[in-house]
Amino acid sequence: MDRERTFQVELTVLVAEVTGLGRDKIRLRDRLVEDLGLDSFAATELLVLIEQKYKIKISESDLIKNKTLGEWARLIAERCQRNEEANMPSK
């Protein structure tokens, strides 16, 4: 399983936890607010879970730009990759 796919699966689990929806009801094309019904409290809870789990920061512009679950999985994969590259010992 490639890395982005792993994040997609893990993010689906987190969204299911926050929304109470079954994982089988959550799709990558779903928009967090419009399709999955996240209100500001639930969105904040999800962001905190993401930041804690992956040790990344999410900015306000990230919230505006990334609407679907698939976009969030891609963002998480990119941020984690950057963190790993930043923490690699220099040669």
XYZ file of all heavy atoms in Angstrom:
736
model
N 0.858 -1.177 0.000
C 0.000 0.000 0.000
C 0.900 1.234 0.000
O 1.802 1.333 0.815
C -0.886 -0.030 1.244
C -1.854 1.114 1.315
S -2.930 1.140 2.785
C -3.768 -0.402 2.715
N 0.646 2.174 -0.925
C 1.488 3.359 -0.957
C 1.134 4.293 0.199
O 0.119 4.134 0.864
C 1.442 4.055 -2.318
C 0.141 4.803 -2.577
O -0.705 4.904 -1.671
O -0.023 5.300 -3.699
N 1.990 5.232 0.404
C 1.889 6.093 1.573
C 0.608 6.919 1.598
O -0.046 7.027 2.629
C 3.105 7.009 1.587
C 3.188 7.787 2.838
C 4.598 8.013 3.160
N 4.637 8.379 4.555
C 5.592 9.029 5.101
N 6.635 9.349 4.399
N 5.555 9.336 6.361
N 0.272 7.531 0.455
C -0.939 8.343 0.421
C -2.174 7.496 0.709
O -3.085 7.918 1.404
C -1.081 9.057 -0.920
C -2.180 10.083 -0.913
C -2.188 10.961 -2.145
O -1.115 11.266 -2.698
O -3.292 11.335 -2.563
N -2.192 6.279 0.197
C -3.321 5.375 0.449
C -3.409 5.037 1.939
O -4.508 4.959 2.500
C -3.170 4.102 -0.392
C -4.269 3.116 -0.173
C -5.600 3.594 -0.738
N -6.634 2.623 -0.424
C -7.813 2.920 0.083
N -8.159 4.161 0.280
N -8.681 1.979 0.357
N -2.282 4.858 2.576
C -2.270 4.609 4.017
C -2.899 5.776 4.762
O -3.732 5.579 5.654
C -0.830 4.388 4.517
O -0.283 3.256 3.846
C -0.783 4.163 6.019
N -2.527 6.996 4.379
C -3.117 8.179 5.016
C -4.612 8.275 4.726
O -5.382 8.705 5.589
C -2.404 9.456 4.570
C -1.018 9.586 5.141
C 0.068 9.696 4.308
C -0.793 9.590 6.503
C 1.358 9.812 4.821
C 0.483 9.696 7.031
C 1.559 9.808 6.187
N -5.040 7.873 3.545
C -6.467 7.893 3.219
C -7.244 6.989 4.160
O -8.290 7.373 4.688
C -6.682 7.464 1.764
C -6.170 8.460 0.746
C -6.152 7.903 -0.665
O -6.365 6.709 -0.891
N -5.889 8.762 -1.626
N -6.717 5.788 4.370
C -7.379 4.831 5.259
C -7.397 5.355 6.693
O -8.442 5.331 7.364
C -6.694 3.450 5.189
C -7.230 2.505 6.258
C -6.859 2.845 3.799
N -6.265 5.843 7.173
C -6.190 6.357 8.545
C -7.083 7.571 8.740
O -7.739 7.709 9.780
C -4.745 6.705 8.895
C -3.850 5.494 8.997
C -2.388 5.832 9.230
O -2.003 7.028 9.189
O -1.619 4.890 9.453
N -7.142 8.443 7.744
C -7.984 9.626 7.837
C -9.459 9.240 7.842
O -10.259 9.832 8.573
C -7.670 10.583 6.685
C -8.350 11.943 6.716
C -8.059 12.680 8.023
C -7.902 12.782 5.535
N -9.814 8.238 7.087
C -11.195 7.746 7.090
C -11.588 7.268 8.484
O -12.694 7.545 8.953
C -11.369 6.613 6.057
O -11.072 7.136 4.760
C -12.769 6.055 6.067
N -10.672 6.589 9.152
C -10.929 6.122 10.520
C -11.135 7.316 11.458
O -12.068 7.318 12.272
C -9.777 5.216 11.019
C -9.920 4.910 12.495
C -9.717 3.936 10.201
N -10.294 8.341 11.342
C -10.431 9.525 12.188
C -11.752 10.243 11.929
O -12.436 10.668 12.867
C -9.264 10.494 11.968
C -7.892 10.051 12.470
C -6.834 11.077 12.087
C -7.909 9.827 13.969
N -12.108 10.387 10.661
C -13.365 11.065 10.315
C -14.555 10.269 10.847
O -15.506 10.846 11.380
C -13.470 11.292 8.794
C -14.862 11.755 8.397
C -12.432 12.307 8.333
N -14.498 8.965 10.741
C -15.573 8.119 11.270
C -15.695 8.306 12.785
O -16.806 8.389 13.325
C -15.311 6.657 10.927
N -14.565 8.401 13.446
C -14.553 8.606 14.902
C -15.205 9.931 15.275
O -16.005 10.005 16.204
C -13.100 8.567 15.396
C -12.927 8.743 16.875
C -11.455 8.712 17.267
O -10.700 7.891 16.726
O -11.076 9.530 18.130
N -14.879 10.987 14.543
C -15.393 12.323 14.848
C -16.865 12.470 14.465
O -17.640 13.070 15.198
C -14.534 13.407 14.143
C -15.173 14.779 14.243
C -13.133 13.436 14.750
N -17.260 11.911 13.323
C -18.623 12.099 12.828
C -19.609 11.057 13.319
O -20.818 11.292 13.300
C -18.659 12.071 11.285
O -18.243 10.772 10.837
C -17.788 13.151 10.695
N -19.096 9.892 13.702
C -19.985 8.807 14.081
C -20.520 8.033 12.884
O -21.331 7.120 13.038
N -20.069 8.395 11.679
C -20.472 7.681 10.464
C -19.683 6.383 10.343
O -18.558 6.296 10.819
C -20.202 8.533 9.220
C -20.990 9.818 9.068
C -20.442 10.636 7.904
C -22.462 9.499 8.845
N -20.256 5.409 9.679
C -19.532 4.179 9.390
C -18.466 4.446 8.336
O -18.666 5.268 7.437
N -17.344 3.755 8.441
C -16.255 3.957 7.466
C -16.702 3.659 6.044
O -16.207 4.271 5.098
C -15.038 3.113 7.833
C -14.346 3.628 9.082
C -13.069 2.928 9.330
N -13.283 1.489 9.548
C -12.324 0.636 9.820
N -11.077 1.037 9.878
N -12.596 -0.629 10.013
N -17.637 2.758 5.890
C -18.120 2.418 4.556
C -18.958 3.531 3.935
O -19.228 3.520 2.739
C -18.922 1.118 4.597
C -20.150 1.218 5.494
O -20.078 1.887 6.543
O -21.184 0.630 5.144
N -19.368 4.509 4.723
C -20.150 5.652 4.235
C -19.272 6.836 3.844
O -19.763 7.834 3.340
C -21.140 6.115 5.307
C -22.077 5.049 5.785
C -23.134 4.765 4.762
C -24.131 3.773 5.323
N -24.728 2.943 4.318
N -17.974 6.743 4.096
C -17.050 7.863 3.876
C -16.243 7.597 2.613
O -15.619 6.549 2.476
C -16.132 8.042 5.102
C -16.987 8.339 6.342
C -15.121 9.150 4.855
C -16.232 8.299 7.643
N -16.249 8.562 1.703
C -15.546 8.452 0.420
C -14.485 9.537 0.297
O -14.609 10.601 0.899
C -16.528 8.616 -0.745
C -17.753 7.745 -0.669
C -17.514 6.422 -1.369
N -18.699 5.590 -1.351
C -18.953 4.640 -0.463
N -18.106 4.383 0.484
N -20.045 3.913 -0.529
N -13.467 9.272 -0.493
C -12.381 10.248 -0.674
C -12.858 11.543 -1.304
O -12.301 12.607 -1.053
C -11.263 9.647 -1.529
C -10.479 8.534 -0.869
C -9.461 7.962 -1.842
C -9.794 9.024 0.392
N -13.876 11.482 -2.112
C -14.384 12.696 -2.770
C -15.307 13.511 -1.861
O -15.726 14.606 -2.209
C -15.090 12.331 -4.063
C -16.349 11.541 -3.862
C -17.035 11.193 -5.186
N -18.217 10.390 -4.959
C -18.234 9.078 -4.854
N -17.120 8.392 -4.957
N -19.362 8.435 -4.651
N -15.657 12.952 -0.700
C -16.540 13.656 0.226
C -15.883 14.917 0.755
O -14.709 14.911 1.139
C -16.912 12.764 1.418
C -17.895 11.671 1.058
O -18.548 11.773 -0.002
O -18.000 10.705 1.847
N -16.685 15.977 0.780
C -16.233 17.234 1.389
C -16.575 17.167 2.875
O -17.653 16.701 3.248
C -16.923 18.420 0.721
C -16.542 18.534 -0.764
C -17.435 19.481 -1.490
N -18.784 18.888 -1.481
C -19.856 19.485 -1.975
N -19.779 20.675 -2.511
N -21.047 18.890 -1.926
N -15.644 17.618 3.694
C -15.795 17.458 5.140
C -17.029 18.167 5.679
O -17.745 17.608 6.502
C -14.540 17.942 5.859
C -13.277 17.138 5.565
C -12.079 17.755 6.266
C -13.432 15.693 5.968
N -17.280 19.374 5.209
C -18.413 20.137 5.727
C -19.697 19.781 4.981
O -20.680 19.358 5.585
C -18.137 21.652 5.643
C -19.352 22.462 6.052
C -16.937 22.023 6.517
N -19.678 19.952 3.675
C -20.895 19.800 2.887
C -21.423 18.365 2.843
O -22.627 18.142 2.939
C -20.668 20.294 1.454
C -20.384 21.784 1.354
C -18.904 22.131 1.499
O -18.105 21.276 1.962
O -18.537 23.262 1.151
N -20.552 17.389 2.691
C -20.994 15.996 2.533
C -21.019 15.213 3.839
O -21.889 14.371 4.042
C -20.100 15.268 1.529
C -20.137 15.922 0.151
O -21.210 16.397 -0.264
O -19.085 15.967 -0.509
N -20.043 15.465 4.692
C -19.937 14.689 5.935
C -20.523 15.408 7.143
O -20.614 14.842 8.226
C -18.469 14.312 6.191
C -17.858 13.433 5.094
C -16.375 13.231 5.350
C -18.578 12.105 4.983
N -20.884 16.673 6.952
C -21.593 17.408 7.994
C -20.765 17.886 9.164
O -21.315 18.135 10.240
N -19.463 18.038 8.977
C -18.647 18.531 10.082
C -18.984 19.992 10.360
O -18.990 20.822 9.457
C -17.153 18.430 9.752
C -16.434 17.196 10.264
C -16.883 15.987 9.496
C -14.955 17.366 10.160
N -19.301 20.298 11.612
C -19.466 21.693 12.010
C -18.115 22.198 12.498
O -17.106 21.457 12.453
C -20.549 21.829 13.081
C -20.257 21.011 14.345
O -19.096 20.577 14.549
O -21.187 20.804 15.131
N -18.058 23.436 12.948
C -16.762 24.002 13.332
C -16.137 23.248 14.509
O -14.922 23.061 14.555
C -16.897 25.494 13.669
O -17.805 25.673 14.730
N -16.954 22.777 15.437
C -16.424 22.018 16.570
C -15.814 20.698 16.109
O -14.704 20.337 16.497
C -17.527 21.762 17.605
C -17.058 20.964 18.781
C -16.302 21.553 19.782
C -17.355 19.613 18.884
C -15.846 20.816 20.861
C -16.905 18.863 19.962
C -16.151 19.469 20.948
N -16.545 19.968 15.266
C -16.058 18.674 14.771
C -14.824 18.853 13.895
O -13.883 18.055 13.963
C -17.158 17.948 14.002
N -14.809 19.919 13.077
C -13.646 20.189 12.225
C -12.419 20.485 13.083
O -11.321 19.997 12.801
C -13.931 21.350 11.286
N -12.607 21.243 14.142
C -11.500 21.544 15.055
C -11.010 20.275 15.734
O -9.799 20.051 15.855
C -11.940 22.581 16.107
O -12.357 23.767 15.433
C -10.808 22.908 17.072
N -11.924 19.437 16.167
C -11.553 18.165 16.794
C -10.740 17.305 15.823
O -9.708 16.733 16.199
C -12.808 17.411 17.233
C -12.523 16.115 17.929
C -13.784 15.365 18.349
O -14.900 15.860 18.125
O -13.638 14.260 18.892
N -11.185 17.240 14.570
C -10.467 16.461 13.565
C -9.071 17.023 13.329
O -8.093 16.271 13.260
C -11.259 16.430 12.253
C -10.621 15.659 11.104
C -10.436 14.185 11.471
C -11.453 15.810 9.841
N -8.952 18.337 13.230
C -7.643 18.951 13.007
C -6.688 18.672 14.155
O -5.504 18.388 13.937
C -7.786 20.453 12.793
C -8.465 20.863 11.503
C -8.603 22.374 11.433
C -7.725 20.342 10.305
N -7.181 18.740 15.364
C -6.340 18.448 16.526
C -5.865 16.989 16.478
O -4.680 16.707 16.711
C -7.084 18.750 17.848
C -6.344 18.185 19.056
C -7.295 20.250 18.000
N -6.769 16.075 16.147
C -6.387 14.658 16.034
C -5.323 14.465 14.959
O -4.350 13.726 15.164
C -7.610 13.803 15.709
C -8.626 13.619 16.836
C -9.887 12.930 16.317
C -8.020 12.832 17.988
N -5.496 15.133 13.816
C -4.518 15.029 12.726
C -3.167 15.573 13.161
O -2.136 14.935 12.959
C -5.025 15.766 11.465
C -6.215 15.011 10.854
C -3.906 15.934 10.440
C -6.946 15.799 9.782
N -3.175 16.756 13.762
C -1.907 17.370 14.189
C -1.191 16.506 15.224
O 0.030 16.352 15.180
C -2.158 18.775 14.737
C -2.496 19.774 13.653
C -2.698 21.188 14.175
O -2.941 21.377 15.387
O -2.612 22.113 13.368
N -1.934 15.937 16.155
C -1.327 15.098 17.182
C -0.814 13.776 16.609
O 0.289 13.347 16.937
C -2.330 14.817 18.294
C -2.634 16.014 19.145
C -3.719 15.752 20.176
O -4.460 14.772 20.095
N -3.822 16.645 21.143
N -1.604 13.153 15.773
C -1.226 11.847 15.227
C -0.002 11.937 14.325
O 0.885 11.089 14.382
C -2.398 11.243 14.459
C -2.096 9.882 13.854
C -3.327 9.263 13.235
C -3.054 7.911 12.653
N -2.822 6.861 13.626
N 0.040 12.968 13.482
C 1.097 13.053 12.470
C 2.179 14.076 12.789
O 3.134 14.218 12.035
C 0.481 13.352 11.102
C -0.479 12.276 10.679
C -1.850 12.506 10.660
C -0.024 11.010 10.332
C -2.742 11.514 10.285
C -0.906 10.006 9.972
C -2.261 10.267 9.948
O -3.131 9.275 9.585
N 2.026 14.794 13.900
C 3.030 15.792 14.313
C 3.255 16.833 13.204
O 4.390 17.158 12.852
C 4.363 15.134 14.676
C 4.257 13.981 15.633
C 3.879 14.433 17.027
C 3.962 13.328 18.029
N 2.727 12.677 18.377
N 2.144 17.335 12.651
C 2.213 18.368 11.622
C 1.331 19.541 12.042
O 0.498 19.398 12.938
C 1.751 17.858 10.235
C 0.312 17.352 10.292
C 2.693 16.774 9.721
C -0.277 16.981 8.947
N 1.514 20.678 11.410
C 0.687 21.859 11.654
C -0.228 22.076 10.457
O 0.179 21.911 9.314
C 1.552 23.105 11.867
C 2.230 23.124 13.211
C 1.201 23.354 14.278
C 1.796 23.384 15.658
N 0.781 23.222 16.678
N -1.446 22.477 10.749
C -2.429 22.788 9.725
C -2.738 24.284 9.839
O -3.125 24.753 10.907
C -3.734 21.982 9.932
C -3.467 20.490 10.047
C -4.737 22.314 8.846
C -3.057 19.803 8.788
N -2.583 25.013 8.741
C -2.834 26.457 8.757
C -4.271 26.767 8.349
O -4.987 25.906 7.830
C -1.872 27.168 7.800
O -2.213 26.857 6.461
N -4.674 28.020 8.554
C -6.008 28.437 8.138
C -6.171 28.313 6.625
O -7.233 27.935 6.143
C -6.278 29.865 8.588
C -6.498 29.985 10.072
C -6.824 31.394 10.502
O -7.444 32.141 9.713
O -6.458 31.751 11.628
N -5.118 28.624 5.894
C -5.213 28.508 4.432
C -5.386 27.047 4.004
O -6.060 26.762 3.013
C -4.003 29.139 3.745
O -2.824 28.448 4.072
N -4.817 26.111 4.772
C -5.022 24.688 4.492
C -6.495 24.320 4.634
O -7.035 23.543 3.850
C -4.214 23.802 5.444
C -2.719 23.927 5.248
O -2.292 24.172 4.109
O -1.992 23.784 6.244
N -7.138 24.905 5.642
C -8.555 24.643 5.876
C -9.400 25.101 4.694
O -10.344 24.431 4.296
C -9.041 25.373 7.129
C -8.514 24.887 8.458
C -8.949 25.828 9.566
C -9.003 23.490 8.736
N -9.045 26.222 4.135
C -9.804 26.797 3.026
C -9.546 26.039 1.730
O -10.471 25.744 0.976
C -9.460 28.294 2.865
C -9.929 29.052 4.116
C -10.078 28.877 1.597
C -9.361 30.443 4.247
N -8.283 25.696 1.471
C -7.902 25.067 0.202
C -8.305 23.605 0.080
O -8.633 23.137 -1.000
C -6.391 25.163 -0.014
C -5.913 26.551 -0.355
C -4.467 26.542 -0.773
C -3.572 26.317 0.405
N -2.154 26.492 0.143
N -8.259 22.877 1.156
C -8.485 21.427 1.119
C -9.878 21.105 1.637
O -10.142 21.241 2.817
C -7.422 20.711 1.944
C -6.045 20.961 1.390
O -5.669 20.366 0.393
N -5.296 21.864 2.001
N -10.718 20.661 0.746
C -12.115 20.420 1.112
C -12.468 18.935 1.215
O -13.262 18.557 2.051
C -13.032 21.078 0.084
C -12.762 22.552 -0.099
C -13.975 23.360 0.174
C -13.734 24.826 -0.080
N -13.497 25.578 1.091
N -11.873 18.105 0.356
C -12.259 16.689 0.348
C -11.296 15.850 1.181
O -10.167 16.250 1.465
C -12.271 16.115 -1.080
O -10.938 16.054 -1.578
C -13.151 16.933 -2.010
N -11.767 14.676 1.518
C -10.947 13.730 2.271
C -9.676 13.379 1.504
O -8.596 13.296 2.085
C -11.773 12.471 2.524
C -11.517 11.716 3.797
C -11.726 12.598 4.995
C -12.417 10.511 3.865
N -9.799 13.204 0.194
C -8.638 12.900 -0.637
C -7.605 14.016 -0.614
O -6.397 13.758 -0.556
N -8.068 15.263 -0.647
C -7.148 16.405 -0.578
C -6.437 16.453 0.770
O -5.248 16.755 0.846
C -7.906 17.712 -0.829
C -8.395 17.859 -2.249
C -9.355 19.009 -2.445
O -9.963 19.498 -1.459
O -9.517 19.420 -3.606
N -7.169 16.122 1.827
C -6.555 16.102 3.157
C -5.509 14.997 3.274
O -4.440 15.210 3.854
C -7.625 15.943 4.240
C -8.210 17.274 4.575
C -9.366 17.812 4.099
C -7.633 18.263 5.414
N -9.539 19.067 4.598
C -8.491 19.375 5.419
C -6.475 18.316 6.169
C -8.222 20.529 6.146
C -6.208 19.468 6.901
C -7.069 20.548 6.882
N -5.803 13.843 2.717
C -4.834 12.734 2.754
C -3.558 13.132 2.018
O -2.446 12.857 2.487
C -5.441 11.474 2.138
N -3.701 13.790 0.877
C -2.539 14.251 0.112
C -1.741 15.286 0.914
O -0.512 15.232 0.970
C -3.008 14.850 -1.222
C -1.915 15.079 -2.214
C -2.447 15.490 -3.591
N -3.576 14.676 -4.044
C -4.842 15.109 -4.127
N -5.149 16.354 -3.820
N -5.806 14.300 -4.544
N -2.440 16.219 1.555
C -1.776 17.237 2.374
C -0.990 16.591 3.515
O 0.168 16.947 3.767
C -2.808 18.216 2.939
C -2.267 19.239 3.931
C -1.411 20.281 3.218
C -3.403 19.904 4.686
N -1.602 15.645 4.194
C -0.930 14.959 5.307
C 0.312 14.235 4.803
O 1.383 14.311 5.419
C -1.894 13.993 6.018
C -3.002 14.779 6.722
C -1.154 13.104 7.003
C -4.173 13.925 7.176
N 0.189 13.531 3.684
C 1.340 12.819 3.117
C 2.474 13.783 2.784
O 3.642 13.509 3.096
C 0.911 12.045 1.867
N 2.143 14.917 2.185
C 3.165 15.909 1.831
C 3.838 16.484 3.073
O 5.064 16.616 3.128
C 2.544 17.044 1.012
C 2.133 16.631 -0.375
C 1.277 17.677 -1.082
O 1.001 18.752 -0.503
O 0.863 17.404 -2.229
N 3.045 16.827 4.085
C 3.610 17.404 5.319
C 4.491 16.405 6.051
O 5.558 16.745 6.551
C 2.491 17.887 6.246
C 1.711 19.034 5.707
C 2.506 20.342 5.828
N 1.916 21.381 5.041
C 0.892 22.132 5.398
N 0.324 21.954 6.570
N 0.426 23.053 4.594
N 4.062 15.171 6.124
C 4.867 14.142 6.791
C 6.170 13.920 6.036
O 7.228 13.765 6.655
C 4.078 12.849 6.921
S 2.762 12.930 8.152
N 6.108 13.908 4.716
C 7.314 13.755 3.898
C 8.287 14.902 4.166
O 9.477 14.683 4.344
C 6.942 13.710 2.409
C 8.126 13.547 1.484
C 8.764 12.179 1.595
O 8.071 11.195 1.820
N 10.054 12.108 1.442
N 7.761 16.123 4.206
C 8.618 17.287 4.489
C 9.266 17.184 5.855
O 10.447 17.493 6.013
C 7.800 18.580 4.424
C 7.866 19.240 3.093
C 7.335 20.647 3.179
N 6.106 20.698 2.425
C 5.100 21.490 2.646
N 5.128 22.341 3.656
N 4.038 21.466 1.905
N 8.497 16.756 6.851
C 9.047 16.600 8.199
C 10.175 15.571 8.227
O 11.196 15.772 8.878
C 7.955 16.185 9.185
C 7.089 17.334 9.629
O 7.338 18.494 9.298
N 6.042 17.025 10.347
N 9.963 14.462 7.532
C 10.990 13.433 7.483
C 12.256 13.930 6.782
O 13.362 13.673 7.249
C 10.461 12.186 6.758
C 9.452 11.436 7.568
C 8.789 10.313 6.786
O 9.177 10.071 5.614
O 7.870 9.682 7.338
N 12.082 14.658 5.699
C 13.246 15.187 4.976
C 13.977 16.216 5.825
O 15.200 16.259 5.824
C 12.796 15.812 3.656
C 12.346 14.767 2.647
C 11.682 15.381 1.406
O 11.546 16.614 1.327
O 11.305 14.583 0.520
N 13.243 17.032 6.569
C 13.869 18.041 7.425
C 14.650 17.409 8.574
O 15.633 17.972 9.060
C 12.818 18.995 7.967
N 14.219 16.231 8.998
C 14.863 15.545 10.127
C 15.934 14.554 9.723
O 16.548 13.923 10.584
C 13.801 14.843 10.969
C 12.904 15.820 11.679
O 13.340 16.875 12.124
N 11.632 15.492 11.787
N 16.168 14.435 8.416
C 17.206 13.520 7.953
C 18.592 14.117 8.245
O 18.790 15.320 8.095
C 17.093 13.264 6.455
C 15.863 12.444 6.083
S 15.729 12.242 4.306
C 16.925 10.939 4.058
N 19.521 13.286 8.695
C 20.864 13.809 8.930
C 21.505 14.246 7.611
O 21.315 13.623 6.578
C 21.620 12.622 9.534
C 20.791 11.418 9.267
C 19.402 11.883 8.957
N 22.228 15.355 7.670
C 22.908 15.819 6.456
C 24.149 14.983 6.204
O 24.766 14.464 7.107
C 23.242 17.300 6.539
O 23.514 17.680 7.847
N 24.459 14.876 4.925
C 25.617 14.048 4.535
C 26.903 14.802 4.620
O 27.037 15.927 4.554
C 25.426 13.545 3.102
C 24.271 12.601 3.014
C 24.139 12.112 1.600
C 22.982 11.150 1.497
N 22.854 10.549 0.215
